[in-house]
Amino acid sequence: MTPVVFAFKLLIGVPVALVLALTAIWYVWESGNTVLYDSFAQKMFSGLENYGLLAIPLFMLTGEMMNEGGMTRRLINAARVFVGGFRGGLAYINLLANMFMAAIIGSATAQIAVMARAMTPEMEREGYDTGFAAATTAAGGLLAPVIPPSMLFVIFGVLAQVPIGDMFLAGILPGLLLAASFALVIFAIGLVRGFPAGSWYTGPEAMRALLACLPALTIPFAIIGGILFGIATPTESAAIASTIAFLVGWLVYRELKPAALWEMFKRTAFNASMIVFMIAAASVFGWVIIYEAIPQKLAALLTTITSDPFLFLLIVNLVLLCVGMLIDGIAAVILVTPILLPIATGNYDISPYQFGVVICLNLVLGLLTPPVGVGLYITSSMSGVTPGRILRSLWPFLLAVAVVLILLSRFPWLSTALI
């Protein structure tokens, strides 16, 4: 009966955190072992007793301060220095700026909202098709869950009990591979459509753009450099990044006012609390899953189908593609990790880092695919382009993501080489 209750609550649109918590309560009641109620609150709280979870609100706060402090515009100008002169240069600028933003914000929805507002009108003014402009911006948001620091990697690292810093390192090569595949898509579409010619900055203009961007670039260097050289943990790097974002926005660019901090703190607290509550509820739900030996039963079923890790990952990719279309990426990671990770590592000897990269990239695809497609609707509302028109221009990028997922599933070293 418990699986029926779980599926019914998901279908009627109950928030995922409540679905997880209420399903666990229903299971305890149905089992008759009511003494488990005494451990319920303790299990929820123990799910939050992880230092790494502090990185989530801190990375969110960094993104808020960047937006308020005028750093996004300067990163876009810096991207123009490197790729602006190519034919279709503004599309490459969009992609490169998204890479910069992904190395700072770590949230696909936040990145899509910021970049759709900044880049889509600019591309339209220079003669690009509005659907393609919005689609390029939306696809660039898919870099956020892979290029560190990634909020999904933080959550997966907590659930999988692997070092978050190593998860960040695991995402570097896949992130670069994904960006390269998007660049190839832009190049191919440009050949067919004949994109507008780009224009290079003059020497003095390029120098001004790069100098203006340097303070903002200290943020990704502080995050990734601190982790790579063992100077700071991911959580400490997030705190350092938010401090740098505040000081740069306030003292260097003079666009971030201290009076705006209270509103940013409130928005960050509200958004982070939803994620933290989901993790607490998932802790209780995972307790039920382990009690019922669901991973072991599912593993027994899957191993009768295939013993090949690559085929297992392809099956998982197909299943998660459907899951991601219906459930938010963060909620889906919280939901599927306790079930599938023990099978991947225990029965197929798949690295948790490879598995984490694959499922995080796969599940975030749901942001841009109907029927839920939150990222699709965010792009539409920010750019004024209909979701259908965006989707018609988006499919080559989605195909590129599918190819990258197959490569990541087939070659473990793409995820583990830097760890």
Side-chain angles (χ1 to χ4, degrees):
M1 187 65 182
T2 303
V4 176
V5 173
F6 173 77
F8 175 72
K9 283 183 287 195
L10 272 181
L11 287 173
I12 63 174
V14 176
V16 172
L18 290 178
V19 171
L20 297 173
L22 292 173
T23 300
I25 291 171
W26 180 278
Y27 170 80
V28 174
W29 177 79
E30 193 178 47
S31 68
N33 192 4
T34 53
V35 72
L36 294 176
Y37 283 130
D38 297 335
S39 304
F40 194 90
Q42 289 178 326
K43 279 290 178 184
M44 286 194 81
F45 184 75
S46 66
L48 304 179
E49 286 186 309
N50 191 300
Y51 175 66
L53 283 177
L54 276 174
I56 293 174
L58 288 169
F59 281 131
M60 286 182 165
L61 184 60
T62 302
E64 291 278 354
M65 289 180 173
M66 271 197 59
N67 296 340
E68 195 77 24
M71 295 173 218
T72 306
R73 185 177 68 257
R74 290 171 174 87
L75 287 172
I76 292 171
N77 287 339
R80 189 182 289 271
V81 173
F82 298 104
V83 292
F86 297 128
R87 180 165 291 279
L90 204 53
Y92 294 108
I93 290 168
N94 194 342
L95 177 61
L96 190 56
N98 266 297
M99 287 183 68
F100 289 154
M101 294 294 288
I104 298 171
I105 293 182
S107 165
T109 50
Q111 183 171 321
I112 288 170
V114 172
M115 295 302 292
R117 194 166 54 239
M119 286 303 302
T120 308
E122 186 71 21
M123 289 182 71
E124 286 178 35
R125 277 195 294 272
E126 293 204 12
Y128 290 83
D129 175 73
T130 52
F132 173 76
T136 305
T137 308
L142 296 180
L143 295 168
V146 187
I147 292 178
S150 162
M151 217 172 299
L152 283 184
F153 283 176
V154 173
I155 294 167
F156 178 84
V158 169
L159 295 173
Q161 297 183 341
V162 296
I164 295 168
D166 287 346
M167 271 308 303
F168 285 176
L169 294 178
I172 292 175
L173 287 181
L176 294 174
L177 180 62
L178 188 61
S181 71
F182 286 170
L184 285 174
V185 168
I186 292 170
F187 177 74
I189 294 174
L191 287 179
V192 174
R193 294 189 183 178
F195 281 160
S199 60
W200 293 106
Y201 275 153
T202 63
E205 287 172 338
M207 187 59 67
R208 280 196 298 271
L210 290 175
L211 289 175
C213 179
L214 282 178
L217 283 178
T218 57
I219 299 172
F221 283 123
I223 295 170
I224 298 169
I227 296 167
L228 274 175
F229 296 111
I231 299 169
T233 66
T235 303
E236 291 165 349
S237 294
I240 292 167
S242 59
T243 304
I244 293 172
F246 170 68
L247 293 175
V248 169
W250 178 35
L251 299 176
V252 180
Y253 297 146
R254 301 185 181 277
E255 294 185 27
L256 176 59
K257 307 300 179 188
L261 284 177
W262 177 242
E263 284 301 318
M264 285 189 282
F265 288 153
K266 282 200 298 186
R267 285 196 300 270
T268 302
F270 178 78
N271 292 328
S273 64
M274 292 190 291
I275 296 172
V276 168
F277 180 46
M278 275 198 285
I279 293 170
S283 178
V284 182
F285 185 73
W287 174 44
V288 169
I289 286 170
I290 292 167
Y291 200 84
E292 280 292 290
I294 290 174
Q296 291 88 330
K297 294 173 184 175
L298 189 57
L301 173 64
L302 286 170
T303 49
T304 61
I305 299 171
T306 180
S307 59
D308 185 355
F310 176 54
L311 287 179
F312 165 76
L313 282 175
L314 289 183
I315 293 169
V316 167
N317 274 316
L318 288 172
V319 172
L320 294 188
L321 194 59
C322 299
V323 171
M325 288 180 178
L326 301 171
I327 304 174
D328 173 72
I330 290 173
V333 167
I334 291 169
L335 185 63
V336 304
T337 299
I339 300 172
L340 294 177
L341 181 65
I343 301 171
T345 55
N347 295 83
Y348 292 94
D349 199 28
I350 294 170
S351 162
Y353 303 105
Q354 180 193 11
F355 190 71
V357 170
V358 168
I359 69 166
C360 287
L361 178 56
N362 187 310
L363 289 171
V364 85
L365 267 178
L367 281 173
L368 302 179
T369 50
V372 179
V374 174
L376 200 60
Y377 297 110
I378 290 173
T379 309
S380 176
S381 65
M382 292 294 177
S383 63
V385 185
T386 63
R389 191 169 180 183
I390 297 171
L391 201 55
R392 282 195 296 273
S393 297
L394 191 61
W395 71 264
F397 294 99
L398 299 181
L399 187 61
V401 176
V403 171
V404 170
L405 277 171
I406 292 171
L407 291 174
L408 293 176
S409 301
R410 182 65 184 86
F411 302 108
W413 63 267
L414 287 171
S415 307
T416 58
L418 299 180
I419 300 171

